[in-house]
Amino acid sequence: MTTTRLSVSGMSCAGCVASVETALNNVTGVVSATVNFAEHTATVEGDVPTNNLVDAVVAAGYQAAELKGSEDEAEKEAAEMNYYRRLLKKAGVAAVVGFPLFIFGMTGLLPSMTDDMGRLFWLGAGLLTIIVLIYSGGHFFTGAWKAALNHNANMDTLIALGTGTAWVYSMVIIAFPDLVPVMAKHAYFEAAAVIITLLNFGSALEMRARGKTSEAIKRLIGLQPKTARVIRDGVEQDVAIEEVGLDESLRVRPGERIAVDGLIIEGHSSIDESMLSGEPVPVQKQLGDEVVAGTINKMGSFLFQAKRIGKDTALAQIIEMVRTAQSSKPAIGRLADKVSSIFVPTVLIIAVITFLAWFNYGPVDQAITLAIVTTMTVLIIACPCALGLATPISIMVGVGKAAEFGTLIRNGDALQQAGRLNTIILDKTGTVTEGRPSVTELLPINDWTQDKLLQWGASLEQNSEHPLAEAIVNAAKEKLLSLSKVEQFKAIAGHGVEAVIEGQQVILGNRKLMQDRRVDIAAIDETARALTLKAQTPMFLAVANRVVGIISVADAIKEDSKAAIQRMHDIGLKVVLLTGDNKATAEAVARQVGIDEVIAEVLPQDKADKVASLQQRGERVGMVGDGINDAPALARADVGFAIGTGTDVAIESADITLMRGSLHGVVDAINISQATVRNIKQNLFGAFIYNSLGIPSAAGVLFPFMSVLLNPMIAGGAMAMSSVTVVSNANRLRLFKPRG
């Protein structure tokens, strides 16, 4: 199944979103289609020719083009900037006509319609206004007409009806002044022109503000180098990034960005990987280490071999994940879309009722005028734009902000759900701990030294493939200890190893092995038990049936695990450790980092059941694991957090990937989730309150009590600024910083 992204133009409100989504979902072969009104894009899942998708959008009354890469994105951005300038120009032309009429009208300097000269002036004003409606407001009328042809109604419908009615009524009054009483003889050319001015200016401001919401994606795309320095036939040459092939050798010089993902084959350096992890401290890299596209080589020059290119690089996958999440809709957003889809028809019904009420029950000499004015005001003030923008604009900023902190959110539902969690389950190995056993204690007795204890232990373990054996051998290598020749090596499953070194029988293993071989460990047994309580694994070394010391190995707890778990407690989360390790080790780790509950000795396939049992107790559960062994549990949790290494960004089982590999990312994600959902609710509340108060006021409910009617021009300004307010409020998230 393929994913296709389309740029969609011509959408004016959330009602348009529903029309485009319906058109795309009706195309044979489409599995799902999601339209992002804030970004004016559509994301389509399914094996469907792109032409079919574009044709469906065009048939629905809109324009579409496929977005393939950065060039298309740049072209889309340039087109939007041109449209922004056109909107300002259109607003300027409308203002030149509308505001002089408005100002002179307020001062009483405009001529009366009762004499020939006055009617001639107003006829000229009408002609200027129709030019404004065609040039500055033509896109509203075109949009309304296309919607009507597709049996739809949208924001353009409301604007076209409102301003069009004002102009037609005014021209009728000029042509046939005796049709209405003297009090009703008023032209509304200035209202139509000023409304078009304010709407265009508001749309331009909204577009400018919307552009800021996608800055996270722009920054990520900007991290991709345009060229790479490859070595071909022994010669270094710069080529376009698209021309780099797999397994090619590339040179990276100080200060350069790494072009593709690969492995260092010559040299060493320190690399700034903050674009992946959010951590500012450079990472030391040497022969065999992995390097990632978009990161910066701080010092030193090195060669590396390309292993992932194009869309397979970590950076490309991050960009795609962020973009997909920004286009997705959480449950709260889908609710807003449903409301928006019936909003315009509802407003049209209210407008008809308003006209009939004023026409039949308004003051006799002003009934027709007040009916026209109130109906026009109702049509103009209604703003489905704000409703349609409320959710996607906040999601775009929230997901981008999370990416800045090294947290990749897969979809909008995960972003919404993360803030509602009350229980966090942590896997132990690789999540709370480093996931790499290392030697923590060397405790020789009698006349043995630490180096001799380690040298003999490593010599014995050099033929073993056990992770603990690897830790001992690595520790010896770090100390540059030479290993002795081993004879008659034998691994004892579950207990340890034995062999002959320098003609002596040597045993390395656990307490059970010592007991089986009748080795007296009483002198250091208490020390071994104390190590066990500290989540370490003590191994006894015995030579000629006599214990000579302990080599203790542990999977070290990450430096920031305790602080991160404290942050979880500070925001009211219950923390559970879920591991397949033995209970004593698990409880020792839990004590050191402050975990509330321990569930130990659980098989990987049973972890999902443990998650489910907590959910059945009414807890909203987040699961944090490595995304591989914990895949079923990650999928079963309300929100799955995968601990990433900075390159493994395509973990399908998780909703959120923590690029830093730090548990602080969990709390950051929850903080960002809560801030984003709060922002969405503010936007929705503002949009609903605006319409709940604005539409009745426009209909004239205050007139019987206060003799006040809402001016159509004020309605137009309020309508334009409501969308700007929503977008500006969402952009406040760009300043957000997680607590703690």
Side-chain angles (χ1 to χ4, degrees), residues 102-249:
F102 171 67
I103 292 169
F104 286 119
M106 292 291 290
T107 56
L109 297 178
L110 294 180
S112 169
M113 293 185 188
T114 55
D115 57 65
D116 292 340
M117 287 298 295
R119 290 173 65 188
L120 189 62
F121 169 83
W122 283 109
L123 184 61
L127 293 175
L128 286 174
T129 304
I130 194 63
I131 292 172
V132 166
L133 292 180
I134 293 171
Y135 173 75
S136 300
H139 53 291
F140 297 122
F141 288 87
T142 302
W145 178 248
K146 288 181 178 179
L149 291 177
N150 286 278
H151 310 290
N152 289 321
N154 56 23
M155 187 194 78
D156 292 338
T157 306
L158 303 180
I159 295 169
L161 284 174
T163 56
T165 300
W167 185 83
V168 170
Y169 173 77
S170 301
M171 291 301 289
V172 169
I173 294 302
I174 292 168
F176 308 102
D178 296 333
L179 283 179
V180 296
V182 174
M183 293 295 293
K185 291 180 181 179
H186 182 79
Y188 291 98
F189 297 132
E190 82 284 4
V194 170
I195 286 168
I196 293 296
T197 301
L198 294 173
L199 292 177
N200 279 316
F201 186 63
S203 295
L205 291 180
E206 175 199 316
M207 177 172 283
R208 187 67 177 266
R210 271 199 288 118
K212 295 180 181 179
T213 64
S214 58
E215 283 189 356
I217 283 286
K218 292 175 185 175
R219 280 197 296 270
L220 287 171
I221 292 174
L223 295 175
Q224 295 176 310
K226 303 298 183 193
T227 62
R229 193 167 188 82
V230 301
I231 299 176
R232 293 176 179 171
D233 300 324
V235 178
E236 294 186 11
Q237 54 184 294
D238 291 324
V239 300
I241 191 73
E242 295 82 9
E243 296 178 19
V244 177
L246 279 175
D247 294 328
E248 278 204 283
S249 296

Side-chain angles (χ1 to χ4, degrees), residues 6 15 20 92 114 161 285 293 313 345 376 468 606 637 658 667 685 692:
L6 301 175
V20 175
T114 55
L161 284 174
K285 298 285 184 176
T313 65
M376 177 172 59
L468 299 184
D606 296 331
L658 309 177
V667 190
F685 177 79
S692 298

Side-chain angles (χ1 to χ4, degrees), residues 589-612:
V589 170
R591 279 195 301 272
Q592 292 182 59
V593 296
I595 288 174
D596 304 309
E597 182 180 337
V598 175
I599 304 174
E601 300 174 8
V602 180
L603 295 174
Q605 59 267 33
D606 296 331
K607 287 186 176 182
D609 294 335
K610 297 297 182 182
V611 173

Side-chain angles (χ1 to χ4, degrees), residues 344-403:
V344 172
T346 302
V347 171
L348 291 174
I349 292 171
I350 293 172
V352 170
I353 294 172
T354 299
F355 180 86
L356 293 175
W358 281 100
F359 186 77
N360 288 289
Y361 303 108
V364 175
D365 57 345
Q366 290 181 281
I368 182 65
T369 300
L370 295 179
I372 292 289
V373 171
T374 52
T375 301
M376 177 172 59
T377 309
V378 167
L379 291 170
I380 294 300
I381 201 169
C383 185
C385 271
L387 279 174
L389 285 168
T391 300
I393 207 80
S394 297
I395 291 290
M396 286 179 68
V397 182
V399 169
K401 177 58 65 174

